[in-house]
Amino acid sequence: MNNGTACSGQCPLCGADNGCSCVQGKPIEACWCWKELVPKTLLERIPDGRKGKACVCRPCVNAGESAERNVQG
């Protein structure tokens, strides 16, 4: 999720294309990530300098959700 200070098309965790809508000139509210619940443990892994400046990509979110289910399950 972008806080208005920067817009990056790279996932802050793996560096892959994150599909961010603001990179495509669309409002951040149109981004796929606004409709996703990103696991807190995944957000905590984002380097401090990148927090709030780039969306985590879908594959990382999916992997984080899977890992969280395995820990809880």
Side-chain angles (χ1 to χ4, degrees):
M1 179 181 331
N2 184 292
N3 67 4
T5 61
C7 188
S8 173
Q10 286 187 311
C11 174
L13 297 175
C14 73
D17 179 9
N18 60 13
C20 186
S21 68
C22 71
V23 174
Q24 301 165 6
K26 298 176 185 172
I28 191 62
E29 295 83 9
C31 194
W32 68 270
C33 73
W34 279 65
K35 299 170 188 80
E36 295 287 324
L37 180 61
V38 179
K40 183 180 176 182
T41 55
L42 193 63
L43 295 174
E44 290 170 347
R45 291 182 33 218
I46 298 173
D48 287 338
R50 307 270 331 261
K51 288 184 180 181
K53 297 180 181 176
C55 300
V56 174
C57 69
R58 284 183 199 250
C60 282
V61 170
N62 291 341
E65 288 172 348
S66 179
E68 192 166 279
R69 277 192 302 272
N70 288 338
V71 168
Q72 292 175 355

Coordinates of all heavy atoms in Angstrom, one line a residue:
M1 N 0.8 -1.2 0.0 CA 0.0 0.0 0.0 C 0.9 1.2 0.0 O 1.9 1.3 0.7 CB -0.9 0.0 1.2 CG -1.8 1.1 1.3 SD -2.9 1.1 2.8 CE -3.1 -0.6 3.2
N2 N 0.5 2.2 -0.7 CA 1.3 3.4 -0.9 C 0.8 4.5 0.0 O -0.4 4.7 0.1 CB 1.2 3.9 -2.4 CG 2.0 5.0 -2.7 OD1 1.7 6.1 -2.2 ND2 3.0 4.8 -3.5
N3 N 1.7 5.2 0.6 CA 1.3 6.3 1.6 C 1.3 7.7 0.9 O 1.3 8.7 1.6 CB 2.1 6.3 2.9 CG 3.5 6.6 2.6 OD1 4.0 7.0 1.5 ND2 4.3 6.6 3.7
G4 N 1.5 7.7 -0.4 CA 1.6 9.0 -1.1 C 2.9 9.6 -1.3 O 3.1 10.6 -2.0
T5 N 4.0 9.0 -0.7 CA 5.3 9.5 -0.8 C 6.1 8.9 -2.0 O 7.0 9.5 -2.5 CB 6.1 9.3 0.5 OG1 6.2 7.9 0.7 CG2 5.5 10.0 1.6
A6 N 5.7 7.8 -2.4 CA 6.4 7.1 -3.5 C 5.5 6.1 -4.1 O 4.5 5.7 -3.5 CB 7.7 6.5 -3.0
C7 N 5.9 5.6 -5.3 CA 5.1 4.5 -5.9 C 6.1 3.6 -6.6 O 6.8 4.0 -7.5 CB 4.1 5.2 -6.9 SG 3.0 4.0 -7.6
S8 N 6.1 2.4 -6.2 CA 7.0 1.4 -6.8 C 6.3 0.2 -7.3 O 5.3 -0.3 -6.7 CB 8.0 0.9 -5.7 OG 8.8 -0.1 -6.1
G9 N 6.8 -0.2 -8.5 CA 6.2 -1.4 -9.1 C 6.9 -2.7 -8.7 O 6.6 -3.8 -9.2
Q10 N 7.8 -2.6 -7.7 CA 8.5 -3.8 -7.2 C 8.1 -4.1 -5.8 O 8.0 -3.3 -4.9 CB 10.0 -3.5 -7.2 CG 10.7 -3.5 -8.5 CD 12.2 -3.4 -8.4 OE1 12.7 -2.5 -7.6 NE2 12.9 -4.3 -9.0
C11 N 7.9 -5.4 -5.6 CA 7.5 -6.0 -4.3 C 8.7 -5.7 -3.3 O 9.9 -5.9 -3.7 CB 7.3 -7.5 -4.4 SG 7.1 -8.3 -2.8
P12 N 8.5 -5.1 -2.2 CA 9.5 -4.8 -1.2 C 10.2 -6.1 -0.6 O 11.2 -6.0 0.0 CB 8.9 -4.0 -0.2 CG 7.4 -4.4 -0.2 CD 7.2 -4.7 -1.6
L13 N 9.6 -7.2 -0.8 CA 10.1 -8.5 -0.3 C 10.9 -9.3 -1.3 O 12.0 -9.7 -0.9 CB 9.0 -9.4 0.3 CG 8.2 -8.7 1.5 CD1 7.0 -9.6 1.8 CD2 9.1 -8.5 2.6
C14 N 10.4 -9.4 -2.5 CA 11.1 -10.3 -3.5 C 11.6 -9.5 -4.7 O 12.4 -10.1 -5.4 CB 10.2 -11.4 -3.9 SG 8.9 -11.0 -5.0
G15 N 11.2 -8.3 -4.9 CA 11.6 -7.5 -6.0 C 10.9 -7.7 -7.3 O 11.1 -7.1 -8.3
A16 N 9.9 -8.7 -7.3 CA 9.1 -8.9 -8.5 C 8.1 -7.8 -8.7 O 7.8 -7.0 -7.9 CB 8.3 -10.3 -8.3
D17 N 7.5 -7.8 -9.9 CA 6.4 -6.9 -10.3 C 5.3 -7.1 -9.4 O 4.8 -8.2 -9.2 CB 6.0 -7.1 -11.7 CG 4.9 -6.2 -12.2 OD1 4.5 -5.3 -11.5 OD2 4.4 -6.4 -13.3
N18 N 4.8 -6.0 -8.7 CA 3.7 -6.2 -7.8 C 2.3 -5.8 -8.3 O 1.3 -5.9 -7.6 CB 4.0 -5.4 -6.5 CG 4.1 -3.9 -6.8 OD1 3.8 -3.4 -7.8 ND2 4.7 -3.2 -5.8
G19 N 2.3 -5.4 -9.6 CA 1.0 -5.1 -10.2 C 0.3 -3.9 -9.6 O -0.9 -3.8 -9.6
C20 N 1.1 -3.0 -9.0 CA 0.5 -1.8 -8.3 C -0.2 -0.9 -9.3 O 0.3 -0.5 -10.4 CB 1.6 -1.0 -7.6 SG 1.0 0.3 -6.6
S21 N -1.4 -0.5 -9.0 CA -2.2 0.4 -9.9 C -1.6 1.8 -10.0 O -1.8 2.4 -11.0 CB -3.6 0.5 -9.4 OG -3.7 1.2 -8.2
C22 N -1.0 2.3 -9.0 CA -0.4 3.7 -9.1 C 0.7 3.8 -10.1 O 0.9 4.8 -10.7 CB 0.0 4.3 -7.7 SG 1.4 3.6 -7.0
V23 N 1.4 2.7 -10.3 CA 2.5 2.7 -11.3 C 1.8 2.8 -12.7 O 2.4 3.3 -13.6 CB 3.3 1.4 -11.2 CG1 4.3 1.2 -12.4 CG2 4.0 1.3 -9.9
Q24 N 0.6 2.3 -12.8 CA -0.2 2.4 -14.1 C -1.0 3.7 -14.2 O -1.8 3.8 -15.1 CB -1.1 1.2 -14.2 CG -0.4 -0.2 -14.1 CD -1.3 -1.3 -13.8 OE1 -2.6 -1.2 -13.8 NE2 -0.8 -2.5 -13.6
G25 N -0.8 4.6 -13.3 CA -1.4 5.9 -13.4 C -2.9 5.9 -12.8 O -3.6 6.8 -13.0
K26 N -3.2 4.8 -12.1 CA -4.5 4.7 -11.5 C -4.4 5.0 -10.0 O -3.4 5.0 -9.4 CB -5.1 3.3 -11.6 CG -5.2 2.9 -13.1 CD -5.7 1.4 -13.2 CE -5.7 1.0 -14.6 NZ -5.9 -0.5 -14.7
P27 N -5.6 5.4 -9.4 CA -5.5 5.7 -7.9 C -5.2 4.4 -7.1 O -5.5 3.3 -7.5 CB -6.9 6.2 -7.6 CG -7.8 5.9 -8.8 CD -6.9 5.5 -9.9
I28 N -4.5 4.7 -6.0 CA -4.0 3.5 -5.2 C -5.2 2.7 -4.7 O -5.1 1.5 -4.5 CB -3.1 4.0 -4.0 CG1 -2.5 2.8 -3.3 CG2 -3.9 4.9 -3.0 CD1 -1.6 2.0 -4.1
E29 N -6.4 3.4 -4.5 CA -7.6 2.6 -4.1 C -8.0 1.6 -5.1 O -8.8 0.7 -4.8 CB -8.7 3.6 -3.8 CG -8.4 4.6 -2.6 CD -7.6 5.8 -3.0 OE1 -7.4 6.0 -4.2 OE2 -7.2 6.5 -2.1
A30 N -7.6 1.7 -6.3 CA -7.9 0.7 -7.4 C -7.0 -0.5 -7.4 O -7.2 -1.4 -8.1 CB -7.9 1.4 -8.8
C31 N -6.0 -0.4 -6.5 CA -5.0 -1.5 -6.5 C -5.6 -2.8 -5.9 O -6.4 -2.7 -5.0 CB -3.8 -1.1 -5.7 SG -2.3 -2.2 -5.9
W32 N -5.1 -3.9 -6.4 CA -5.6 -5.2 -6.0 C -5.4 -5.4 -4.5 O -6.2 -6.0 -3.8 CB -5.0 -6.3 -6.7 CG -3.5 -6.5 -6.5 CD1 -2.5 -5.9 -7.2 CD2 -2.9 -7.2 -5.5 NE1 -1.3 -6.2 -6.6 CE2 -1.5 -7.0 -5.6 CE3 -3.4 -8.1 -4.5 CZ2 -0.6 -7.6 -4.7 CZ3 -2.5 -8.6 -3.6 CH2 -1.1 -8.4 -3.7
C33 N -4.3 -4.8 -4.0 CA -3.9 -5.0 -2.6 C -4.9 -4.4 -1.6 O -5.0 -4.8 -0.4 CB -2.5 -4.5 -2.3 SG -2.3 -2.8 -2.2
W34 N -5.7 -3.4 -2.0 CA -6.7 -2.8 -1.1 C -7.8 -3.8 -0.8 O -8.6 -3.5 0.2 CB -7.2 -1.5 -1.7 CG -6.3 -0.4 -1.5 CD1 -5.0 -0.3 -2.0 CD2 -6.5 0.8 -0.7 NE1 -4.4 0.9 -1.6 CE2 -5.3 1.6 -0.8 CE3 -7.5 1.2 0.1 CZ2 -5.2 2.8 -0.1 CZ3 -7.4 2.4 0.7 CH2 -6.2 3.2 0.6
K35 N -7.9 -4.8 -1.6 CA -9.0 -5.8 -1.3 C -8.5 -7.1 -0.7 O -9.2 -8.0 -0.4 CB -9.6 -6.2 -2.7 CG -10.3 -5.0 -3.4 CD -10.7 -5.3 -4.8 CE -11.1 -4.1 -5.6 NZ -10.1 -3.3 -6.1
E36 N -7.2 -7.1 -0.3 CA -6.5 -8.2 0.3 C -6.2 -8.0 1.7 O -5.8 -6.9 2.1 CB -5.2 -8.6 -0.5 CG -5.4 -9.0 -1.9 CD -6.0 -10.4 -2.0 OE1 -5.7 -11.3 -1.2 OE2 -6.8 -10.6 -3.0
L37 N -6.2 -9.0 2.5 CA -5.8 -9.0 3.9 C -4.4 -9.6 3.9 O -4.2 -10.8 3.7 CB -6.7 -9.8 4.8 CG -6.3 -9.8 6.3 CD1 -6.3 -8.4 6.8 CD2 -7.2 -10.6 7.1
V38 N -3.4 -8.7 4.1 CA -2.0 -9.1 4.1 C -1.6 -9.5 5.5 O -1.8 -8.7 6.4 CB -1.0 -8.0 3.5 CG1 0.4 -8.5 3.5 CG2 -1.5 -7.6 2.1
P39 N -1.1 -10.7 5.7 CA -0.7 -11.2 7.0 C 0.3 -10.2 7.7 O 1.2 -9.7 7.1 CB -0.1 -12.5 6.8 CG -0.6 -13.0 5.5 CD -0.8 -11.8 4.7
K40 N 0.0 -9.9 9.0 CA 0.8 -9.0 9.7 C 2.3 -9.5 9.8 O 3.2 -8.7 9.7 CB 0.3 -8.9 11.2 CG 1.1 -7.9 12.0 CD 0.5 -7.8 13.4 CE 1.3 -6.9 14.3 NZ 0.9 -6.9 15.6
T41 N 2.5 -10.8 9.8 CA 3.9 -11.3 9.9 C 4.6 -11.0 8.6 O 5.8 -10.8 8.6 CB 3.9 -12.8 10.1 OG1 3.0 -13.5 9.1 CG2 3.4 -13.2 11.5
L42 N 3.9 -10.9 7.5 CA 4.5 -10.6 6.2 C 4.8 -9.1 6.1 O 5.9 -8.8 5.7 CB 3.5 -11.0 5.1 CG 4.0 -11.0 3.7 CD1 5.1 -12.1 3.5 CD2 2.9 -11.3 2.7
L43 N 3.9 -8.3 6.6 CA 4.2 -6.8 6.6 C 5.4 -6.5 7.5 O 6.1 -5.6 7.2 CB 2.9 -6.1 7.1 CG 1.7 -6.2 6.2 CD1 0.5 -5.5 6.9 CD2 2.0 -5.5 4.9
E44 N 5.6 -7.3 8.6 CA 6.7 -7.0 9.5 C 8.0 -7.3 8.8 O 9.1 -6.8 9.3 CB 6.5 -7.8 10.8 CG 5.4 -7.4 11.6 CD 5.0 -8.3 12.8 OE1 5.5 -9.5 12.8 OE2 4.3 -7.9 13.6
R45 N 8.0 -8.1 7.8 CA 9.3 -8.5 7.1 C 9.7 -7.4 6.1 O 10.8 -7.4 5.6 CB 9.1 -9.8 6.3 CG 9.0 -11.0 7.3 CD 8.8 -12.3 6.6 NE 9.6 -12.4 5.3 CZ 9.1 -13.0 4.2 NH1 8.0 -13.6 4.2 NH2 9.9 -13.1 3.1
I46 N 8.9 -6.4 5.8 CA 9.2 -5.4 4.8 C 10.3 -4.5 5.5 O 10.1 -4.0 6.6 CB 8.0 -4.5 4.5 CG1 6.9 -5.4 3.8 CG2 8.4 -3.3 3.6 CD1 5.6 -4.7 3.5
P47 N 11.4 -4.2 4.8 CA 12.4 -3.3 5.3 C 11.9 -2.0 5.6 O 11.0 -1.4 4.9 CB 13.4 -3.2 4.2 CG 13.2 -4.5 3.3 CD 11.7 -4.7 3.4
D48 N 12.3 -1.3 6.7 CA 11.8 -0.1 7.2 C 11.7 1.0 6.1 O 10.8 1.7 6.0 CB 12.6 0.5 8.4 CG 12.4 -0.3 9.6 OD1 11.3 -1.0 9.7 OD2 13.2 -0.3 10.5
G49 N 12.7 1.1 5.3 CA 12.8 2.1 4.2 C 11.8 1.9 3.1 O 11.6 2.8 2.3
R50 N 11.2 0.7 3.1 CA 10.2 0.4 2.0 C 8.8 0.3 2.5 O 7.8 0.2 1.7 CB 10.5 -0.9 1.3 CG 12.0 -1.1 0.8 CD 12.3 -0.6 -0.6 NE 11.3 -0.7 -1.6 CZ 11.1 -1.7 -2.5 NH1 11.9 -2.7 -2.5 NH2 10.2 -1.6 -3.4
K51 N 8.6 0.4 3.8 CA 7.2 0.3 4.4 C 6.4 1.4 3.9 O 6.8 2.6 4.0 CB 7.3 0.2 5.9 CG 7.8 -1.1 6.4 CD 7.8 -1.2 7.9 CE 8.3 -2.6 8.3 NZ 8.3 -2.8 9.7
G52 N 5.1 1.1 3.5 CA 4.2 2.1 3.0 C 4.5 2.8 1.7 O 3.9 3.7 1.3
K53 N 5.5 2.2 1.0 CA 5.9 2.8 -0.3 C 5.8 1.8 -1.5 O 5.9 2.2 -2.6 CB 7.4 3.2 -0.2 CG 7.6 4.3 0.8 CD 9.0 4.8 0.9 CE 9.1 5.9 1.9 NZ 10.5 6.3 2.1
A54 N 5.5 0.6 -1.2 CA 5.3 -0.4 -2.3 C 4.4 -1.6 -1.8 O 4.5 -2.0 -0.7 CB 6.7 -1.0 -2.7
C55 N 3.6 -2.0 -2.8 CA 2.7 -3.2 -2.5 C 3.5 -4.5 -2.5 O 4.4 -4.6 -3.3 CB 1.7 -3.3 -3.6 SG 0.6 -1.8 -3.7
V56 N 3.2 -5.4 -1.6 CA 3.7 -6.7 -1.6 C 3.0 -7.4 -2.8 O 1.9 -7.2 -3.1 CB 3.4 -7.4 -0.3 CG1 3.9 -8.9 -0.4 CG2 4.1 -6.7 0.8
C57 N 3.7 -8.2 -3.6 CA 3.2 -8.9 -4.7 C 2.2 -10.0 -4.3 O 2.3 -10.5 -3.2 CB 4.2 -9.4 -5.7 SG 5.2 -10.8 -5.0
R58 N 1.3 -10.4 -5.2 CA 0.4 -11.5 -4.9 C 1.1 -12.8 -4.5 O 0.6 -13.5 -3.6 CB -0.5 -11.8 -6.1 CG -1.6 -10.7 -6.3 CD -2.5 -11.1 -7.4 NE -3.2 -10.0 -7.9 CZ -4.5 -9.8 -7.8 NH1 -5.2 -10.7 -7.2 NH2 -5.1 -8.7 -8.2
P59 N 2.1 -13.2 -5.2 CA 2.8 -14.5 -4.8 C 3.3 -14.4 -3.4 O 3.2 -15.4 -2.6 CB 3.9 -14.7 -5.8 CG 3.4 -14.0 -7.1 CD 2.7 -12.8 -6.5
C60 N 3.9 -13.3 -2.9 CA 4.3 -13.2 -1.6 C 3.2 -13.2 -0.6 O 3.2 -13.8 0.5 CB 5.2 -11.9 -1.4 SG 6.9 -12.1 -2.0
V61 N 2.1 -12.5 -0.9 CA 0.9 -12.5 -0.1 C 0.3 -14.0 0.0 O 0.1 -14.4 1.1 CB -0.2 -11.6 -0.6 CG1 -1.5 -11.8 0.2 CG2 0.2 -10.1 -0.5
N62 N 0.2 -14.6 -1.1 CA -0.3 -16.0 -1.1 C 0.6 -16.9 -0.3 O 0.2 -17.8 0.5 CB -0.4 -16.6 -2.5 CG -1.5 -15.9 -3.3 OD1 -2.4 -15.3 -2.7 ND2 -1.5 -15.9 -4.6
A63 N 2.0 -16.8 -0.4 CA 2.9 -17.6 0.4 C 2.8 -17.3 1.9 O 2.8 -18.1 2.7 CB 4.3 -17.4 -0.1
G64 N 2.6 -16.0 2.2 CA 2.4 -15.6 3.6 C 1.2 -16.1 4.2 O 1.2 -16.5 5.3
E65 N 0.1 -16.1 3.4 CA -1.2 -16.7 3.9 C -1.0 -18.2 4.2 O -1.5 -18.7 5.2 CB -2.3 -16.4 2.9 CG -2.7 -15.0 2.8 CD -3.7 -14.7 1.7 OE1 -3.9 -15.6 0.8 OE2 -4.2 -13.6 1.7
S66 N -0.4 -18.8 3.2 CA -0.2 -20.3 3.4 C 0.7 -20.6 4.6 O 0.3 -21.5 5.4 CB 0.5 -20.8 2.1 OG 0.7 -22.2 2.3
A67 N 1.7 -19.9 4.8 CA 2.6 -20.1 6.0 C 1.9 -19.8 7.3 O 2.0 -20.5 8.2 CB 3.9 -19.2 5.8
E68 N 1.1 -18.8 7.3 CA 0.3 -18.4 8.5 C -0.7 -19.5 8.8 O -0.9 -19.9 10.0 CB -0.4 -17.1 8.3 CG -1.0 -16.5 9.6 CD -1.3 -15.1 9.5 OE1 -0.5 -14.2 9.6 OE2 -2.5 -14.8 9.3
R69 N -1.4 -20.1 7.8 CA -2.3 -21.2 8.0 C -1.6 -22.4 8.6 O -2.1 -23.1 9.5 CB -3.0 -21.6 6.7 CG -4.2 -20.7 6.4 CD -5.0 -21.3 5.3 NE -4.3 -21.5 4.1 CZ -4.1 -20.6 3.1 NH1 -4.6 -19.4 3.2 NH2 -3.5 -20.9 2.0
N70 N -0.4 -22.7 8.1 CA 0.4 -23.8 8.6 C 0.8 -23.6 10.1 O 0.8 -24.6 10.8 CB 1.6 -24.0 7.7 CG 1.3 -24.6 6.4 OD1 0.2 -25.2 6.2 ND2 2.1 -24.4 5.4
V71 N 1.1 -22.4 10.5 CA 1.5 -22.1 11.8 C 0.3 -22.3 12.7 O 0.4 -22.8 13.8 CB 2.1 -20.7 12.0 CG1 2.2 -20.3 13.4 CG2 3.4 -20.7 11.3
Q72 N -0.9 -21.8 12.3 CA -2.1 -21.8 13.1 C -2.7 -23.2 13.1 O -3.4 -23.6 14.1 CB -3.1 -20.8 12.5 CG -2.7 -19.4 12.7 CD -3.7 -18.4 12.0 OE1 -4.6 -18.8 11.4 NE2 -3.5 -17.2 12.2
G73 N -2.5 -23.9 12.0 CA -3.2 -25.2 11.8 C -2.7 -26.3 12.6 O -3.2 -27.2 13.1

